[in-house]
Amino acid sequence: MPHVGDELHHSGWNACSSCHGDPHKSRDFLILPSLVSSRIYIVDVATDPRAPRLHKVVEAEQLALKANAAFPHTSHCLGSGEILISCLGDPQGNGKGTFVLLDGETFEVKGNWEKGEKSPELGYDFWYQPRHNVLLSTEWGVPRALLQGFNPQDVQKGLYGRRINVWDWGERRLLQQLDLGSGSIPLEIRFLHQPSAAQGFVGCALSGDIWRFYKNPEGKWEAEKVIEVPNKKVQGWLLPEMPALITDILISLDDKFLYFSNWIHGDVRQYDISDPKNPKLVGQVFLGGSICKGGAVTVLEDRELQEQPEPCVIQGKRIPGGPQMLQLSLDGRRLYVTTSLFSAWDRQFYPEMGGLSAAAAGCEPRAGGAEPEPQIPAGFWEGARGTLPGPRGSVPGGGLHL
């Protein structure tokens, strides 16, 4: 990209299964919203697939002027040919669960998708199901707080999300809000792929839960917790209990398996969802994370594992960070995994990622060239005590830092 600091986070296409049966539609353009700069890049991948080229840049000013929106995240194409993108907030960095529409041919900003005065306080991911006239959206946090890195005190202040927002697809109006509890932070949401299915799953990052959402016989939407990843009692970390931090989920195309990543614990899990109400763990692999043997963290109590996992080493190199974004091959035989979550959070939790310098990692160099000491965000301990109660521990040198 021609700019630095955009924070490309999610991606989408100009055409998808919503355009099935239309011979004039094809995946010619990659849509790349930038979570920090609020630009949206349109990349031509059809003219020369081996050499993608930049086709257009939708500048942040266009989102602000035409939709009072910023911090674009999830991009989905629509059957109409338009492109729908969720946003986390307004141009001032306040939280706002809003959406913008792009023209599918010119990629001009057409305005907001939603109608009416009522809208969620926060936004993040979304999925829509026209056969049930519904769009469901989730909530991460207030952008100006996210950009400063994670501070548990912000959870107490209500700056992080806790709801699934239910929209009337046809009228584009907010109908319901499903409260999943304080500190849950629901992120990625997925419907089953079966077009007639009226259910799916959402991953809650901080609480470590997977919830199943579904439409009840009366036509209202409900949610129930079906998977819980327990915190681990640890030593050598910043808190006495370590959350899993579920950051991504996906469902196989045949709707048989659910996959999700625990970015802090470090494992990717596979669940059999033949019975969506009762998922069964059938696969688990550790790809980095914070509890591997040989690290700074000692696990004192683990309700799931008998011992700490071995570090993941590929070509002689230990993987830094933890598993994050997931994508499954169409045949379901290969799972692709990234390790970066969000730069401000990467620098806090895994400062060793990408060979970050002391300055880039938010650290101040010590006198005499010693190892840098991480800067703890103001108010961190006060928030941490309220979120995950426990005494203040020491910051492990070379370990995981907040």
Side-chain angles (χ1 to χ4, degrees):
M1 299 301 110
H3 301 279
V4 175
D6 285 309
E7 193 82 30
L8 302 179
H9 199 69
H10 271 48
S11 62
W13 296 100
N14 67 303
C16 61
S17 58
S18 294
C19 301
H20 179 71
D22 186 343
H24 302 291
K25 297 292 183 181
S26 60
R27 289 185 169 182
D28 297 334
F29 296 97
L30 187 64
I31 313 300
L32 299 176
S34 302
L35 194 54
V36 171
S37 71
S38 293
R39 295 185 182 94
I40 300 173
Y41 291 103
I42 313 299
V43 180
D44 178 356
V45 295
T47 302
D48 185 352
R50 292 183 177 273
R53 63 187 67 178
L54 188 60
H55 175 74
K56 182 173 182 173
V57 181
V58 180
E59 295 291 351
E61 290 77 10
Q62 292 301 306
L63 270 68
L65 179 65
K66 297 182 179 180
N68 190 33
F71 310 98
H73 183 263
T74 301
S75 171
H76 285 302
C77 67
L78 307 184
S80 63
E82 298 167 307
I83 298 166
L84 182 60
I85 301 176
S86 60
C87 295
L88 273 67
D90 64 20
Q92 290 71 46
N94 302 306
K96 181 184 179 184
T98 188
F99 300 85
V100 296
L101 273 175
L102 300 187
D103 184 281
E105 300 294 333
T106 65
F107 303 107
E108 293 291 327
V109 178
K110 299 181 70 173
N112 297 100
W113 171 81
E114 71 275 12
K115 298 179 181 179
E117 298 181 356
K118 187 177 180 181
S119 63
E121 295 179 359
L122 301 170
Y124 188 63
D125 193 28
F126 75 97
W127 202 277
Y128 67 96
Q129 178 47 279
R131 294 195 184 189
H132 294 284
N133 192 40
V134 70
L135 179 148
L136 302 181
S137 64
T138 60
E139 304 177 338
W140 185 8
V142 174
R144 54 184 165 78
L146 300 177
L147 295 175
Q148 302 302 315
F150 179 68
N151 188 334
Q153 194 174 45
D154 291 338
V155 178
Q156 291 182 303
K157 293 178 180 178
L159 301 183
Y160 282 90
R162 56 187 292 171
R163 298 175 180 87
I164 298 175
N165 298 296
V166 182
W167 300 79
D168 183 297
W169 176 248
E171 295 187 2
R172 304 183 183 183
R173 298 182 187 276
L174 184 63
L175 294 178
Q176 286 181 255
Q177 291 186 297
L178 308 179
D179 194 337
L180 307 185
S182 177
S184 55
I185 312 183
L187 295 184
E188 304 296 332
I189 190 165
R190 304 286 183 265
F191 263 96
L192 295 182
H193 294 291
Q194 168 55 249
S196 62
Q199 62 179 321
F201 300 91
V202 63
C204 294
L206 191 58
S207 62
D209 303 324
I210 300 292
W211 289 67
R212 168 182 168 263
F213 59 84
Y214 60 96
K215 186 166 70 171
N216 67 23
E218 289 72 40
K220 295 290 186 179
W221 291 85
E222 298 182 6
E224 61 177 356
K225 186 191 303 185
V226 292
I227 299 173
E228 180 181 359
V229 181
N231 293 342
K232 301 179 187 295
K233 292 185 178 180
V234 297
Q235 190 175 56
W237 200 55
L238 284 176
L239 299 172
E241 292 195 13
M242 178 187 289
L245 210 73
I246 299 173
T247 54
D248 194 21
I249 71 171
L250 67 78
I251 299 172
S252 61
L253 286 177
D254 56 11
D255 288 339
K256 291 182 178 179
F257 297 105
L258 169 72
Y259 299 82
F260 66 83
S261 55
N262 294 318
W263 191 60
I264 292 184
H265 286 178
D267 57 318
V268 174
R269 302 190 181 202
Q270 179 192 38
Y271 282 78
D272 182 332
I273 55 171
S274 300
D275 178 3
K277 297 179 181 180
N278 298 286
K280 305 296 183 184
L281 180 64
V282 294
Q284 183 179 25
V285 61
F286 278 83
L287 303 172
S290 304
I291 63 168
C292 292
K293 293 179 179 178
V297 175
T298 300
V299 178
L300 303 177
E301 182 179 321
D302 195 322
R303 290 162 52 188
E304 296 182 318
L305 303 177
Q306 298 299 315
E307 60 179 356
Q308 292 180 232
E310 297 289 340
C312 185
V313 178
I314 296 180
Q315 297 181 344
K317 186 176 182 181
R318 183 167 173 164
I319 293 180
Q324 209 282 98
M325 294 303 297
L326 306 173
Q327 187 56 273
L328 191 66
S329 60
L330 295 179
D331 61 8
R333 296 174 61 87
R334 295 171 304 283
L335 185 70
Y336 297 88
V337 185
T338 69
T339 56
S340 170
L341 173 59
F342 182 60
S343 293
W345 291 36
D346 293 345
R347 290 192 291 266
Q348 287 181 289
F349 287 89
Y350 296 110
E352 74 278 11
M353 286 184 65
L356 293 174
S357 65
C363 303
E364 292 293 340
R366 295 179 184 172
E371 288 295 319
E373 182 173 345
Q375 297 176 341
I376 306 300
F380 172 83
W381 295 115
E382 291 76 6
R385 292 190 189 102
T387 306
L388 294 171
R392 171 174 176 167
S394 59
V395 178
L400 185 147
H401 306 300
L402 282 176

